[in-house]
Amino acid sequence: MSKKWMKIVFVVLAVLSLTACSFQNNGNADPAKGSVLERFNGSKTFDEIMGELNEIDYYLVPDFNDLTKKTENDDETATAVDYYYDGDTLVYADYRGYGEDAFSYYFTSKNGDEIEVLYVDSDGERESLDVKGADFSVSLYELNKESEYGADYITVSITGNESEEFPNKLLYSVEEGNAYISEAYYNDKDGYHYYSAYLDENGEPDESDDVLYKKEDKISPFEKLREFTQDPRVKDVELLIGNGSYSYTENANKEKVWYYKGSAFAVFSDSQSAIDFAKENGLEAREDETDEDFWVVEISDSYFEFSENFEDLISFITREVNDYYYRSIVCDENGKIQALESGHLSYY
């Protein structure tokens, strides 16, 4: 069992319209009100989570007496975990060889939630806590018995109950008693949003709101994709990933139909084939910018539709892209992208 006990802040997806939200440091009320919280009906609230934290001893010293010990060793990483049980009930996990003095404590809250608390010490002092429940997590740093919530810096991550490809998630931050929504991802009628905010020097939220995946009423995809991929002069048609965007429509069954809006390139081995092809289709041909062995004809600023049989499409869409890259398009019989494979072009 391998774990890296770093100070993890759970960056969560969500976006919201914060015009109706208030920011406050009142420990008896949610630090945000309005439309955003409506998306999390049925989920734990900020106050409920902070209430459960009241059941936790931030300065707990583990007591292993009268407990049964079981050890798991990882020879490859030279680490080990000592598990301590009261009968069949796990009480502690003590971590050895991870570079930090850390242990976990497990208990059931008064509300019946199964809770894990990770304690991290440094130089004999309690450094941080990470608390995990079924649908929330909390990280606490710079513990301070005088602070309203027992720590100067806290992050609270809440997962919404909706069943969606992209979940509703919400992140609160508490900075020296000031609680506010710092990040969120949520589904709205116009698509899937990401919201972020921080407190400026006056304690006011500086916020941004972006639609990550836009919902469109109607999209007209590029119609000649299959024709282009089957043209014997064309080596392949390659999609440039990274500089475009993803959007979707909904069919009659409320299922999402996904599109990539950006550029694709028909690839040729010789200039004359590329020039002829471009002329036939009202496009322009040019020598590839990074490989003089190829000529390309760009299909720019177009929508390319994904097939429902594209494997792990959501994982592909949400994958982080650090550098632009090309992928060769494999079409289905309807001219939709069924797969993306290695191609000929390089971005650099």
Side-chain angles (χ1 to χ4, degrees), residues 175 180-182 195-201 203-207:
E175 300 178 7
Y180 64 100
I181 295 174
S182 55
Y195 165 90
S196 64
Y198 67 91
L199 297 184
D200 63 21
E201 58 186 10
E204 297 296 325
D206 189 331
E207 55 195 2

Side-chain angles (χ1 to χ4, degrees), residues 2 13 20 23 34-35 55 62 79 83 89 121 124 138 144-145 158 160 170 172 211 213 222 226 282 289 310 320:
S2 177
L13 302 173
F23 293 76
S35 61
E55 301 180 40
T79 58
Y83 295 99
T89 302
D121 296 341
V138 183
N144 182 351
K145 294 180 180 180
I158 302 172
L170 185 65
Y172 290 98
V211 180
Y213 308 120
F222 182 69
R226 187 165 185 264
E289 295 174 354
F310 190 102
E320 183 178 357

Side-chain angles (χ1 to χ4, degrees), residues 29-68:
D30 263 314
K33 301 294 181 185
S35 61
V36 58
L37 296 182
E38 295 174 2
R39 309 177 197 287
F40 294 86
N41 287 337
S43 302
K44 286 186 178 299
T45 65
F46 178 87
D47 281 346
E48 288 172 342
I49 293 172
M50 301 312 287
E52 296 214 77
L53 293 187
N54 289 332
E55 301 180 40
I56 297 172
D57 180 359
Y58 290 4
Y59 300 92
L60 176 69
V61 176
D63 182 2
F64 302 138
N65 292 324
D66 301 323
L67 299 177
T68 302

